[in-house]
Structure formats: C-alpha cells, structure tokens
Amino acid sequence: MSAPVYKSFEQSLAEFDNIAAAVDPISVEELQSRIAKLQGLMRETDVKAVYLDTSTSLTYFTGMTLGASERLHGAIIPSTGSPIYISPAFEEPKTVTLVRIEGEIATWEEHEDPALLVANLICDLPAEGQVLAFDPATPFVFSSPITAHIGARLKIIGASDLIAACRQIKSATEIAIIQTAMTASLRVHKAVWEGLYEGVSTTEVTDFIAAAHQKLGMRHVFAAAQFGEATAYPHGVPYAQTLNKGDMVLIDLGAHIHRYCSDITRTYVFGEATERQRELWNMEKKAHRAAFEAAQLGSPCEDVDAAARKVLTDAGYGPDYQVPGLPHRTGHGLGMDLHENPFIVRGNKTRLQPGMVFSDEPMLCVYGECGVRLEDIIYMSEEGPVFFTEPAQSIDRPFG
C-alpha cells in the first residue's frame, strides 16, 4: 500500500503559487473567428440573429462577461456584420470597457422597455434571415416579451444547436487553458489526500479546496467531500461528516481559469481498504477504462456510455440506471461551463471529433454502503482520446 506522506493543509497552501497569472486569455482574433463560424452556420439555417444573454456563450463569442440581473443586458449577433450590445443606459460606461469585439452599444433607460428595443433592432437588421435564435440561457422573463414584440415578423427558435456546434469543438488554445486548470486542480486533490486526518470534517476539507484554488490564482467553482456511506450518493448529502479510519473518501472539485473549468473526482480509503472496498473500486476502474477505450473518433457519444455500463451490468449491477449500479450518464462536456455539450449518454448520436472535451465518470453506487467515482476529463486529439490528468492507479495509489 502507498500511504500518503502527511502534510497539513496549511503546509500545502504555503507551497502554492499563482499559476493562473501566466495564462493568456483567448485572443481577439480567436473571438472573431468564433463569431465568423457562428454567422456561417446562421446563414446556412436562415437565422437572421442570435440573441446572447449574460451567459458563458456571451463570453465565448464576444469576450464580454456580464453578471445576470433583472435588467436586460446582452448582445445581438446578426448573420452578417458586427455585434450589437444591449445595455442599461447607466451601465454604458462600464460596458464600453468590456467590449473586445467592436460593435454598436444600444441603451435603454429605466422607464423604457428593453424587450421592444431588442425586437426592433433585430427586425430592422439589414442581415438576411427569417429566424431569431435565443441563447438557451436567456431567462423567460426576457425571451417572452421579445418574442411577443416580434410577433409574426420572424420565426423563433432556440440557438442550442448553433452554439453547441461552435463551443463543443475546442481550439488548441482552449485545450491548453483547460490543461493548466486540470493540472492545478490535481495538485489540490493530492494535497487533500495528504492532509486528511481522523476527525477532520467535510466542511474543513471543502474550505481548504476553495482556499487552495484561490492561492493558485483560479476562480473556485465547487468542492464536494463525502465520507463513508455518504459516498454512495452522486451529489452528496445535506449534512457534514467527520472522517473515521476505514471510511471511503470521495472528493470532487473544480475551478476555472479565464472561465475554462477543471473537474476531477478521486475515491479512496482513509486507512486500510477492505476486500469489499477494493472489489467495488476495481469494478469502477474497469468501467472508467472501458469508457476511455470506447471514445474513438467517429463513434457516437452514446457508445462511450454503453461501454462503461456494460462492464457494470455484466458484473451484475444495474441494469440501466438501477442501483446498485450506475444511476446517471457516464459523462458531460466541459469547457466554459462545468456541464455542456457533448453529453455522454444513451441516445446522443453526436459523433466524437477532434477538439471535443468530456468527462469519464461512470460512478458505481451502492446505497447504504458506499460509492466509487473516478472522474477524469478526456479530450479528443487527432489520434484519439487523451486524458488531461493521469488516472488513479489503484485504491491505494489515487495519484500515480
């Protein structure tokens, strides 16, 4: 057994430096190429305009990051021409400083109807097309009045497919940013493993993870720590736990650099693992590996899910989503959102292409006993699947 060399959380924090400061953000040239690709797809599908709300898609295409509020604030991407940014009038000075891709800023005063402004701007565009496509993250409180004002002038659809066609294929620059985030978060993971002690609480662990990501210069997104029987539940339990010898430990965490996320899960035992724990862990490892091997260029996403699930059902778990077994999809895409396209799930016939990034996490859940999740992120290279981080070798060697 390869037991960790104990190092306190405080010692680990002292050793962390800001690694994110050296990472360049996405260039203006790449942002422009993204808009050009979107506009090409829009012209092919008769879409006159895409409305982007205060979502990661706004950041993806324009480089502008806005916080959501009750005030309409976003951008219109026409099928040809420059973006039109929508801003409350009193926010215009700030909006100007956030613009990276040149375009008009259209403003509205507090007593005015911003939905009417957006509807008229879209309908009056010189761009071709008979369709308005909404960013799927647009709140109904904004999309509904815009739709009402447009009336019969344009057909209304969701922009999910258009946006996914752009965002689910990562560039080399995006892959490099995600790699930095994943490498840094794996360091945090290892520091948790080294710093565990009997009696530590899950709250203390998650507080350390947040502090560690901040020390590394990353924006902390989430941390989940589960001990013992609580590890059986994919999204944890609504109460803290304290660590005991022999507990299964599940740690899931993520942070981002320039909005690009990391996401890694490790499961191991604090102390000596029992034969039953080893059996479950090894079964999960086998399913995890099967998913990786099924992730071949040109294969549909659902085949990856099927390969992992077959390992478990052949061993008597499941079937389908029944527990003991795998109660959820095998993976999700990862990028500027923690969960995005492509989803590794039955029914998703999207074929794997170079640049796609997604998780491999076919969790084995045994309610009332424990659970095991090994999550690593895969990116599809020109040659096939590649892990960003080295997978766990064994229940005793979760970090190589």
Side-chain angles (χ1 to χ4, degrees):
M1 174 178 178
S2 177
V5 176
Y6 179 77
K7 184 187 296 182
S8 72
F9 293 158
E10 290 75 15
Q11 287 174 297
S12 292
L13 277 178
E15 296 174 359
F16 288 165
D17 296 316
N18 186 336
I19 55 90
V23 181
D24 292 329
I26 299 297
S27 68
V28 169
E29 291 74 21
E30 186 160 335
L31 294 174
Q32 290 171 330
S33 71
R34 292 172 178 181
I35 291 178
K37 179 177 180 178
L38 177 63
Q39 290 178 320
L41 294 170
M42 292 165 64
R43 291 191 292 271
E44 291 174 7
T45 51
D46 198 34
V47 174
K48 183 184 184 75
V50 169
Y51 173 76
L52 299 174
D53 203 70
T54 55
S55 67
T56 51
S57 289
L58 176 69
T59 307
Y60 177 84
F61 288 108
T62 72
M64 178 181 288
T65 298
L66 297 172
S69 78
E70 77 280 8
R71 294 183 173 90
L72 192 150
H73 206 174
I76 299 165
I77 307 295
S79 60
T80 56
S82 300
I84 301 173
Y85 300 100
I86 311 299
S87 173
F90 74 91
E91 295 275 26
E92 183 179 13
K94 181 181 77 174
T95 303
V96 169
T97 68
L98 299 174
V99 170
R100 297 188 66 202
I101 301 298
E102 291 187 8
E104 172 191 351
I105 299 178
T107 63
W108 56 277
E109 297 290 358
E110 290 281 71
H111 66 284
E112 295 177 327
D113 180 358
L116 179 60
L117 171 67
V118 171
N120 288 338
L121 284 168
I122 290 171
C123 290
D124 292 343
L125 284 170
E128 295 182 359
Q130 301 300 315
V131 178
L132 165 62
F134 276 107
D135 177 351
T138 306
F140 183 76
V141 71
F142 298 148
S143 63
S144 178
I146 293 171
T147 299
H149 287 308
I150 286 177
R153 291 182 287 177
L154 294 173
K155 180 182 177 182
I156 307 296
I157 65 170
S160 297
D161 291 344
L162 290 170
I163 291 172
C166 298
R167 288 184 54 173
Q168 71 182 356
I169 306 298
K170 270 63 176 180
S171 68
T173 303
E174 291 176 284
I175 295 292
I177 296 173
I178 296 171
Q179 181 65 73
T180 301
M182 292 292 294
T183 300
S185 284
L186 190 64
R187 286 185 64 192
V188 177
H189 248 300
K190 188 176 181 182
V192 172
W193 182 56
E194 294 171 335
L196 291 177
Y197 58 90
E198 192 164 11
V200 70
S201 72
T202 49
T203 302
E204 290 173 286
V205 172
T206 56
D207 286 348
F208 164 72
I209 292 169
H213 276 143
Q214 183 176 3
K215 187 79 183 294
L216 289 164
M218 306 171 77
R219 182 67 63 85
H220 177 68
V221 177
F222 79 100
Q226 297 154 237
F227 301 154
E229 192 267 342
T231 60
Y233 306 98
H235 290 162
V237 293
Y239 51 83
Q241 307 110 56
T242 56
L243 186 62
N244 297 301
K245 285 287 186 182
D247 276 349
M248 193 74 87
V249 175
L250 189 154
I251 306 294
D252 189 2
L253 55 80
H256 64 72
I257 299 174
H258 301 313
R259 299 296 289 271
Y260 286 91
C261 300
S262 63
D263 189 9
I264 313 173
T265 307
R266 289 289 181 269
T267 306
Y268 42 85
V269 172
F270 180 66
E272 185 67 39
T274 65
E275 287 305 309
R276 171 63 170 169
Q277 289 169 330
R278 291 180 187 279
E279 174 192 342
L280 294 172
W281 196 99
N282 289 335
M283 185 57 62
E284 163 71 3
K285 173 69 173 177
K286 189 176 178 182
H288 179 273
R289 185 65 194 181
F292 178 81
E293 292 176 351
Q296 298 301 314
L297 293 170
S299 295
C301 290
E302 67 175 356
D303 282 8
V304 181
D305 179 83
R309 204 170 296 278
K310 184 176 187 302
V311 168
L312 299 178
T313 55
D314 284 354
Y317 295 99
D320 298 321
Y321 300 106
Q322 295 179 37
V323 175
L326 170 55
H328 55 66
R329 65 193 175 212
T330 292
H332 57 82
L334 179 119
M336 300 188 85
D337 287 321
L338 193 65
H339 292 184
E340 61 178 49
N341 287 294
F343 291 97
I344 309 304
V345 66
R346 182 187 305 168
N348 186 359
K349 301 187 184 303
T350 301
R351 296 193 177 274
L352 296 175
Q353 304 173 55
M356 287 184 171
V357 173
F358 53 91
S359 69
D360 176 356
E361 50 176 317
M363 184 174 182
L364 176 53
C365 300
V366 183
Y367 295 160
E369 185 176 351
C370 67
V372 184
R373 181 166 71 247
L374 302 175
E375 178 187 20
D376 293 281
I377 305 300
I378 294 170
Y379 70 89
M380 299 303 295
S381 73
E382 295 289 343
E383 289 73 43
V386 180
F387 280 125
F388 282 100
T389 47
E390 181 182 358
Q393 297 300 308
S394 71
I395 196 169
D396 303 314
R397 297 178 57 198
F399 300 98

